[in-house]
C-alpha cells in the first residue's frame, strides 16, 4: 500500500465509496507511521491491509473492504482489477506500474496513477481504451514512460525518504481524480501529467499524446 494511497483510502471512505480493494503484502512498521496515517502505533506488526480495513471501518462502517494479500505482477494484475470500476496506483516501482497499467488497458479500467519523490509528486489519469476529443486514442502509460529508468537511478521511498505531508497532497489529488471518474464530473487528467513541487509550492502540467 502506497503512502499516498493511504490518504486516498481515507478520503474515498469518507466520501462514501461503497467498495475499496486494497492490494498489499506488507506489514506495518514504525517507520511507516509518519506518512501512512491510516496506521497507528498499535498496528505495528499487523498486515497493512488488515490495519487499513480496521481504520476504514472506523471512518465509515458501510464501506466494504476487499483485501488482496499479494504483490501485483503481470501474471495476476488482470484478475485483481477486473472486478473494480476505477483502479488507483501509488506503487513505488516501475515493474508494478507497467504491469498494472497494461492490465487496466486490457480490461478497459480507468487508472489514476501517481508517484512521489522526496519533495515532489506527479499524477495522471489513463484511459487508453477510449479516444480523445480529437479522435486519437488516449495515451498509455508506456507513451508517458516508454522505458523504465536503469536500476538504482530512481531511489525508493525507503532509501530517499519522503515527507508525510507530500503524500497527503498527492493522495488527496488522486482521490479527487477518482471521484471525478466515478461521478462523471469535471475533466480528468487524461493526456496531462500534473507535477507538484513541494519546495517551491508550484503546480505544472505536461501534456502528452499517444505515440501509436
Amino acid at each position: 500500500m502506497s503512502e499516498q494511497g493511504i490518504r486516498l483510502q481515507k478520503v474515498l471512505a469518507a466520501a462514501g465509496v461503497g467498495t475499496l480493494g486494497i492490494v498489499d503484502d506488507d506489514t506495518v512498521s514504525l517507520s511507516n507511521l509518519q506518512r501512512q496515517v491510516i496506521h497507528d502505533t498499535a498496528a505495528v506488526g499487523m498486515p497493512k491491509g488488515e490495519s487499513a480495513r480496521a481504520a476504514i471501518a472506523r471512518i465509515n462502517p458501510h464501506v466494504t473492504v476487499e483485501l488482496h494479500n499479494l504483490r501485483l505482477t503481470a501474471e495476476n494484475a488482470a484478475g485483481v482489477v477486473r472486478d473494480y470500476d476505477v483502479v488507483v496506483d501509488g506503487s513505488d516501482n516501475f515493474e508494478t506500474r507497467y504491469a498494472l497499467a497494461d492490465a487496466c488497458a486490457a480490461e478497459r479500467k480507468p487508472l489514476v496513477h501517481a508517484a512521489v519523490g522526496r519533495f515532489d509528486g506527479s499524477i495522471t489519469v489513463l484511459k487508453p481504451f477510449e479516444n480523445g476529443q480529437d479522435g486519437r486514442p488516449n495515451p498509455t502509460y508506456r507513451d508517458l514512460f516508454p522505458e523504465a529508468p536503469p536500476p538504482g537511478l530512481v531511489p525508493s521511498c525507503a532509501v530517499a525518504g519522503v515527507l508525510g505531508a507530500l503524500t497527503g497532497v498527492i493522495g488527496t489529488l488522486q482521490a479527487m481524480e477518482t471521484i471525478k471518474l466515478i461521478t462523471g464530473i469535471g475533466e480528468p487528467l487524461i493526456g496531462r501529467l500534473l507535477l507538484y513541487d513541494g519546495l517551491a509550492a508550484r503546480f505544472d502540467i505536461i501534456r502528452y499524446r499517444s505515440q501509436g
Side-chain angles (χ1 to χ4, degrees), residues 74-120:
E75 289 70 35
N76 62 27
V80 172
V81 307
R82 191 167 292 145
D83 294 330
Y84 296 95
D85 296 317
V86 180
V87 180
V88 184
D89 174 28
S91 57
D92 63 357
N93 66 89
F94 279 90
E95 183 178 2
T96 301
R97 293 167 184 168
Y98 283 119
L100 185 57
D102 290 345
C104 287
E107 297 294 327
R108 301 179 65 84
K109 302 294 183 179
L111 175 61
V112 182
H113 165 78
V116 294
R118 292 185 65 190
F119 306 111
D120 60 274

Side-chain angles (χ1 to χ4, degrees), residues 136-211:
R136 294 170 54 93
N138 289 327
T140 69
Y141 183 72
R142 293 179 183 273
D143 289 317
L144 183 59
F145 296 105
E147 296 181 356
L153 182 62
V154 181
S156 68
C157 293
V159 174
V162 62
L163 289 175
L166 172 65
T167 61
V169 172
I170 301 303
T172 302
L173 289 170
Q174 276 189 289
M176 187 64 198
E177 290 302 303
T178 303
I179 291 170
K180 285 160 60 177
L181 290 169
I182 292 172
T183 59
I185 62 174
E187 182 183 356
L189 285 167
I190 299 170
R192 295 181 293 154
L193 182 68
L194 178 66
L195 304 174
Y196 173 66
D197 181 339
L199 295 182
R202 184 179 67 200
F203 287 94
D204 294 295
I205 287 183
I206 296 175
R207 294 186 179 272
Y208 62 101
R209 301 174 60 182
S210 171
Q211 303 301 311

Side-chain angles (χ1 to χ4, degrees), residues 20-147:
L20 294 174
I22 299 174
V23 181
D24 205 311
D25 67 344
D26 200 3
T27 57
V28 180
S29 65
L30 188 62
S31 64
N32 297 144
L33 301 185
Q34 63 92 13
R35 63 188 186 278
Q36 297 188 8
V37 294
I38 205 166
H39 309 303
D40 56 24
T41 304
V44 172
M46 287 180 59
K48 286 184 176 179
E50 293 288 353
S51 173
R53 179 160 61 182
I56 289 169
R58 292 192 294 270
I59 296 168
N60 186 346
H62 302 292
V63 175
T64 298
V65 178
E66 299 176 346
L67 301 183
H68 303 273
N69 186 26
L70 52 83
R71 183 165 293 275
L72 208 68
T73 67
E75 289 70 35
N76 62 27
V80 172
V81 307
R82 191 167 292 145
D83 294 330
Y84 296 95
D85 296 317
V86 180
V87 180
V88 184
D89 174 28
S91 57
D92 63 357
N93 66 89
F94 279 90
E95 183 178 2
T96 301
R97 293 167 184 168
Y98 283 119
L100 185 57
D102 290 345
C104 287
E107 297 294 327
R108 301 179 65 84
K109 302 294 183 179
L111 175 61
V112 182
H113 165 78
V116 294
R118 292 185 65 190
F119 306 111
D120 60 274
S122 62
I123 178 171
T124 191
V125 174
L126 298 159
K127 295 181 75 176
F129 45 86
E130 294 182 356
N131 292 337
Q133 294 182 347
D134 60 359
R136 294 170 54 93
N138 289 327
T140 69
Y141 183 72
R142 293 179 183 273
D143 289 317
L144 183 59
F145 296 105
E147 296 181 356

